Each structure stands twice: as structure tokens, then as C-alpha cells.
Amino acid sequence: MNSRQIRFLCGLVVAAVFALAGCGRDKVRLRGGWEPEPGTVVRDASTFVMEEGALIIELEGKALKGKTSSREEMVIETKIVSADEFRLVHVVDSSTSVDEILGQRTEKVNDGILQGVPIVGRKKDGEWVYALVAGQPTKEQAKELAELSQGPSDDELLYPAHPVRVGERWALKPEVISAWLGSNALRSSGRGSMELREVKTYQGQKCAHLFFTLQGAVTELDDENNETTTEVGMKGEIYRSLDTFLDISWSATGQKKTTGQTIVDGIKMKVTKAGPVQFKLKTTVE
């Protein structure tokens, strides 16, 4: 996963102002502040899985068909130091992909460059700035840390600033598409919406129960500087705590398709991977 996906799927937004006043009896605020005690630990665990996907390789006028599967796993633990500082570590940040074609099976395992590396977040001039707890980051790590500090928060992308009532629906901002699919988009397009279905108790907390749909496409450059386009269509539900303003549960299903080109031994190939995907996120506070 890249840094924008980390923020989008597992990001912790720590604010100093607890804003619940003036909501009205039939409306609730989905954005606000939370003042956790120093020493509080927030644990985000997410998975993004494709099973039984189709793999198609096109070269020299022929189309070779196979199978593909992948699993991305992320576990982030964040410890609150004060209202202006927290420490976090990517306990797990790994991805595994398996391709099978022409009787050959290829498995790739990649670990994120920040996995196991303690990070400190400090508020400076009203913005969160990230750095390594010890030592100097590599060039790649410095880029990831900088991207964590950039752009609007996930709350600002997903949830209205005004109180909303049950049954209210709103359009998702275009930035959600690139935040979900990638951080270095050359081009992106899409649409989505979210609806507050009900307010109910979930896992002992008063929560907003939300439903969303999302469709979009993003084109990026891969490690070999070739353009890769990812298309996704998903729908799912979210339980968002109205006490902490953390998304304590996400569950979504849909379809994903990735198309790109590569050159092997001077032969240009078009590679397409497509199949059903499932995303899950659980957040706990200790």
C-alpha cells in the first residue's frame, strides 16, 4: 500500500476540539475532535484481497489466459503522547500476489518500506508533520513521510462539516478516488456517494451506520515508468464512532481491474488482472 492508502484506510486524525454542540436532536456530527488520554493505543487492522482473479497476457497477437490472486495486509498501532504528539508503527505492511499461467506459478511478496519503523507525528502550525523516531529516513522513506503530511484529512474527504440527518446522502469528493487507488496519479476520474442509514449501538459504542458506493479509475507510473491503469467499483458499509470520530469498522466488496504494459526480452506485453475484491478494516482503542 502507498502512503495515501494508509491514510485513507487506516489514518488516525487526532484533534484538540471536541465539537458536538448544536447538532440538533435529529442530526449528528460526523466530524469532530477527540481528546484521548496520553498512553491510549489505537490499532487499525485492514486487508484488501482478490481471489480467483483472471490474468490475461497479450503479446504478438496472442492472448494467454491464467489466474491471479493478491492480498494486502496492514496493521498500524498509534500511541498518544499528548494532544500535539503521537507515535505510530506499521506492525504489518505487506502484500502478496500469485500469478499462474502456462503451468507456471509466480509468487511475489513485498514489505512496505516503513514496516517496523517507529514514526512520530507532531502538530506544527496546525498541521501534522511526520518523522522517524530515530535516525534519518532513506530517500524512499522521506517521500512516504512527506506524503503522509500532505493534503486534506480523511474526515474532510469523506464526511460533511455540517450535521447530517438519517437518510441524508452526499457525493464523495473527487480526491477520494486518487486517495483510495493511489497517491501519484497522472489521471483520475470517478464518482461515489455516501448515506447515513441509521444511528445505532455497535460494539458498545454509539455509531453512525453509513453505506457507500465508489467507482473510479486512476492511471499511474509503475516502477519501470510504464503507465498502469486501475479501475475499481465497490460498495460497502462503515460504522463510525460518534464518541471518538474513528471509523471502527469498514466492510466492502466489488471488482478491480488493472491494465498495464511491460517489456520482457524485447517483447512488449499488455497485462490485465481483474477479479472480485474484498476490503475489511477494524479499529480498536485500548
Side-chain angles (χ1 to χ4, degrees), residues 172-234:
L172 295 178
K173 295 182 179 181
E175 295 92 332
V176 171
I177 304 300
S178 57
W180 179 274
L181 296 177
S183 60
N184 300 307
L186 300 175
R187 298 180 297 277
S188 64
S189 62
R191 64 185 186 276
S193 66
M194 189 172 291
E195 179 185 354
L196 174 60
R197 290 283 181 88
E198 59 183 337
V199 175
K200 63 183 295 185
T201 300
Y202 178 76
Q203 295 185 354
Q205 300 184 57
K206 183 180 180 181
C207 291
H209 189 197
L210 303 124
F211 283 72
F212 72 92
T213 61
L214 178 69
Q215 291 183 316
V218 166
T219 299
E220 298 181 284
L221 293 178
D222 63 17
D223 295 337
E224 298 176 350
N225 215 34
N226 298 311
E227 287 194 5
T228 298
T229 298
T230 300
E231 303 170 71
V232 68
M234 301 194 76

Side-chain angles (χ1 to χ4, degrees), residues 7 9 35-36 41 52 83 99 142 146 161 170 211 217 242 253 261 272:
R7 286 190 54 193
L9 304 180
E35 295 182 342
V41 176
E52 298 298 325
D99 295 334
W170 56 95
F211 283 72
L242 298 179
T253 58
Q261 293 187 344
T272 302

